[in-house]
Amino acid sequence: MADSINLTKSSLLANWKCLAICCVVSMANFEFGMDSGVVGSLQALPGFLVVFGYPSEFIPGGYGLNSTFQQLITSFPILGALVSSLAAGIFSVFFGRKMGLWIACIFTCIGIAIQMSTEDKGAIYVGRFVLGMGNGFLQTFSNIYCAEASPAHLRAIMVGLSTEWVLIGSIVAAAITNATQSRLDKFSYQLPLGILLIVPFFLALGLLFVPESPRYLLTIGRTEEARKSLETLRGSSVEAAEIEVEFTEMINGIDEEKRLASTTGPLDMFKGTDLRRTLLCIGTAVADSGCSGAWFLIPYTSYFFVISGVPFTKVFHYFAISTCLGLVACNVGLFVMRHVCGRRTFLMLGAVFNGLFMLGLAVSATVPTGLETKQTLLVTFVTLGLVWYSFATGVASRPVSTEMVSTRLRAWSFGLTQAVGQLVIWLVSFCTPYFINPENLNWGGKYGYIWAGTSVIALAWYYFFIPELKGRSLEEIDELFENKVPTFEFTSFETKALDKAFKDVQDRMNRGEKPVAKVEEVSEDQE
């Protein structure tokens, strides 16, 4: 990176306005987190089991769920999200990030209303699919927006807010389902579903005060609106000249993209240097969703505890505790990734410990021990797995996926990445009941052996293929990929994007087009 000039690395507090805006936008992920928590808890709620399950004297609690029904209620939202994520690229070209989020709010409300108003399993499947379509748009456009709106040195934190909202949603879900667990009527699951309506309402309202992404506005030629959007996002965190440098860097980057490629469509993701970027993003999504083991735990934790003999009264307490610990771990992870190490290192640490905790879960289920000891070990390793995922892999994977792709193809590429990730999550969710259910393979915790092995694959992927992008602007990342820089040289390669933007601004100032203002270099220690 060039040493001659740096944009001021202002503190998170100084960027409070951009942080607040990204908090509102990333609230979209609250819906996904709460729905994941609700559907996982519903499968252990007596009221839900009475309506949609079957009585069985062989299952602790007296009721079980048909594996097919479990598979479909967890997989239909994922399939819906897959469909909407694939559609995000073409939608974004014409309507932008904000409109995508508003449409998502409508989908989620319709999906929730259907689920609350029926006892028919077929209608439940339709409601789950429609809700999933909304969640696909919510996750795709919120993460893209935060990546494009945030300063380079704070991008990991502002994109990482999505993980925080997912966990907060899971905590709310745990608290509500814990409060309704003693009821045997439909209200026990209708209330948690009804709470999901709060998110689209407040998100739709908050978006009225959020500017459109400046990079998106530049790609469609609305330059002055893009400048105003950037000025709104930066507020008083930096001087006017620094905003001008950043804005010029954006313009130069988009002009360079247009020079190199005259079209913007799905096939462009697989041409030239964009092919590498697309494959890296897809690989990261697969490593996150399909190798960490988290998506074996997240939808089925409560049900997994129930069929393992953990008392009903403790199941929801354990789920709530693990989720709260996960939120704390997420905040610590964001701090560590910001000040201690980069995304690549964090992803590798996540893979190592995810694998160890999954191995511990499997071994504890294999070695003969007393029932109480086995349950204690099961709860411990499940909790450690969920908390560590929130600390490392879950925090780092979204920033990497959003920043690795080019600006003109971000909606296409990240939408495809989300779709592939959702497909892998669907596959895991669909297969898990067969492995853990007493009526099928009845592996229980031994299922962890598979995830211990896949974590090794994820570790190898992160080490050999994922470059370190910490501190780079999106335009600098474009330059790195256009120059075909090898993975291990990303941190040492000197880019020219910032210097060129600074020179262009200085030239305009010298011609009297802008008032001259000093752009100072500020170190991290001065934040």
Side-chain angles (χ1 to χ4, degrees):
M1 187 181 297
D3 296 323
S4 57
I5 183 65
N6 253 327
L7 292 179
T8 302
K9 290 188 171 119
S10 50
S11 67
L12 192 61
L13 182 61
N15 283 276
W16 67 268
K17 195 169 186 179
C18 186
L19 178 63
I21 289 171
C22 286
C23 274
V24 171
V25 173
S26 60
M27 185 197 304
N29 295 274
F30 182 102
E31 187 80 7
F32 175 70
M34 188 171 176
D35 180 63
S36 298
V38 165
V39 74
S41 298
L42 288 184
Q43 298 173 62
L45 277 177
F48 186 80
L49 293 171
V50 168
V51 176
F52 296 102
Y54 62 90
S56 173
E57 58 185 79
F58 303 106
I59 299 177
Y63 281 89
L65 282 175
N66 179 271
S67 294
T68 302
F69 180 67
Q70 278 185 296
Q71 291 166 331
L72 293 178
I73 64 172
T74 55
S75 62
F76 265 117
I78 298 167
L79 291 175
L82 186 154
V83 171
S84 60
S85 295
L86 287 174
I90 187 65
F91 184 95
S92 180
V93 169
F94 296 102
F95 301 107
R97 292 26 169 166
K98 282 179 62 176
M99 184 59 69
L101 290 169
W102 269 318
I103 295 297
C105 290
I106 296 173
F107 275 123
T108 53
C109 288
I110 294 173
I112 294 163
I114 293 173
Q115 293 174 73
M116 290 180 65
S117 61
T118 185
E119 293 183 18
D120 180 73
K121 289 184 178 180
I124 289 288
Y125 300 150
V126 172
R128 300 294 295 158
F129 182 82
V130 174
L131 176 61
M133 290 186 66
N135 275 332
F137 262 23
L138 287 174
Q139 292 179 80
T140 300
F141 288 117
S142 63
N143 286 294
I144 288 174
Y145 183 93
C146 291
E148 294 180 340
S150 55
H153 64 291
L154 297 175
R155 189 168 56 244
I157 291 180
M158 294 191 183
V159 176
L161 289 170
S162 61
T163 304
E164 289 216 34
W165 277 113
V166 169
L167 290 166
I168 293 171
S170 297
I171 291 172
V172 173
I176 294 170
T177 51
N178 182 58
T180 63
Q181 64 171 301
S182 59
R183 301 182 66 107
L184 298 177
D185 57 5
K186 292 190 295 183
F187 186 77
S188 66
Y189 65 87
Q190 286 178 328
L191 178 62
L193 288 171
I195 297 296
L196 287 168
L197 292 169
I198 294 175
V199 180
F201 173 78
F202 282 105
L203 177 60
L205 189 64
L207 287 172
L208 295 173
F209 307 96
V210 170
E212 180 57 273
S213 161
R215 285 182 169 88
Y216 168 72
L217 291 171
L218 281 175
T219 60
I220 59 174
R222 291 156 63 177
T223 305
E224 285 308 310
E225 289 181 56
R227 184 191 298 274
K228 291 177 182 177
S229 173
L230 183 63
E231 290 172 350
T232 300
L233 288 164
R234 296 295 174 265
S236 58
S237 62
V238 293
E239 294 181 6
E242 296 177 81
I243 294 177
E244 191 66 25
V245 170
E246 184 179 5
F247 187 65
T248 301
E249 187 181 13
M250 287 183 188
I251 293 174
N252 291 344
I254 290 171
D255 286 345
E256 180 66 11
E257 283 191 338
K258 290 179 178 178
R259 184 186 69 81
L260 294 171
S262 58
T263 60
T264 301
L267 296 181
D268 293 312
M269 293 185 288
F270 306 101
K271 296 178 181 177
T273 56
D274 283 309
L275 174 61
R276 178 189 179 190
R277 304 173 80 163
T278 300
L279 293 178
L280 286 175
C281 282
I282 291 175
T284 301
V286 172
D288 176 6
S289 306
C291 297
S292 66
W295 291 100
F296 144 54
L297 297 175
I298 292 171
Y300 293 108
T301 295
S302 298
Y303 183 76
F304 186 48
F305 285 165
V306 168
I307 64 174
S308 300
V310 178
F312 264 119
T313 54
K314 294 183 178 179
V315 165
F316 295 98
H317 293 164
Y318 289 146
F319 179 69
I321 289 170
S322 65
T323 309
C324 289
L325 290 174
L327 181 60
V328 174
C330 175
N331 283 283
V332 175
L334 288 172
F335 177 85
V336 172
M337 190 166 60
R338 166 78 174 94
H339 295 284
V340 179
C341 63
R343 290 92 150 119
R344 181 171 175 268
T345 302
F346 229 44
L347 288 170
M348 289 191 292
L349 284 173
V352 168
F353 283 94
N354 284 337
L356 289 175
F357 294 140
M358 288 296 105
L359 182 62
L361 173 64
V363 170
S364 66
T366 305
V367 176
T369 57
L371 179 61
E372 186 174 341
T373 301
K374 192 179 290 291
Q375 289 174 359
T376 300
L377 289 172
L378 180 146
V379 171
T380 299
F381 283 114
V382 167
T383 301
L384 287 172
L386 289 170
V387 170
W388 187 262
Y389 178 79
S390 300
F391 171 75
T393 310
V395 164
S397 59
R398 282 186 177 87
V400 168
S401 296
T402 53
E403 66 194 4
M404 200 123 53
V405 293
S406 62
T407 298
R408 71 188 180 90
L409 296 174
R410 184 160 288 113
W412 286 107
S413 300
F414 187 68
L416 176 62
T417 300
Q418 283 283 99
V420 172
Q422 295 292 345
L423 181 61
V424 174
I425 291 172
W426 169 79
L427 183 62
V428 172
S429 301
F430 190 83
C431 294
T432 292
Y434 280 121
F435 284 94
I436 67 174
N437 263 335
E439 65 186 58
N440 300 118
L441 293 179
N442 195 26
W443 282 19
K446 296 176 185 177
Y447 194 33
Y449 283 122
I450 292 177
W451 304 111
T454 56
S455 293
V456 176
I457 298 173
L459 176 62
W461 172 261
Y462 297 141
Y463 179 77
F464 288 107
F465 297 103
I466 300 302
E468 180 55 67
L469 303 175
K470 181 179 180 180
R472 300 284 195 175
S473 70
L474 297 179
E475 287 68 36
E476 287 176 310
I477 294 171
D478 288 343
E479 185 179 341
L480 288 164
F481 279 106
E482 285 301 327
N483 283 284
K484 301 180 181 179
V485 178
T487 299
F488 297 103
E489 297 179 17
F490 264 61
T491 54
S492 59
F493 190 89
E494 292 189 1
T495 55
K496 304 289 194 299
L498 183 58
D499 276 342
K500 185 178 185 305
F502 179 69
K503 182 178 183 301
D504 290 346
V505 172
Q506 289 291 76
D507 289 344
R508 289 203 300 272
M509 288 177 175
N510 292 337
R511 292 194 300 268
E513 296 179 19
K514 286 285 179 182
V516 178
K518 186 179 181 182
V519 181
E520 299 178 349
E521 182 176 348
V522 179
S523 68
E524 300 254 357
D525 298 333
Q526 292 174 276
E527 294 185 19

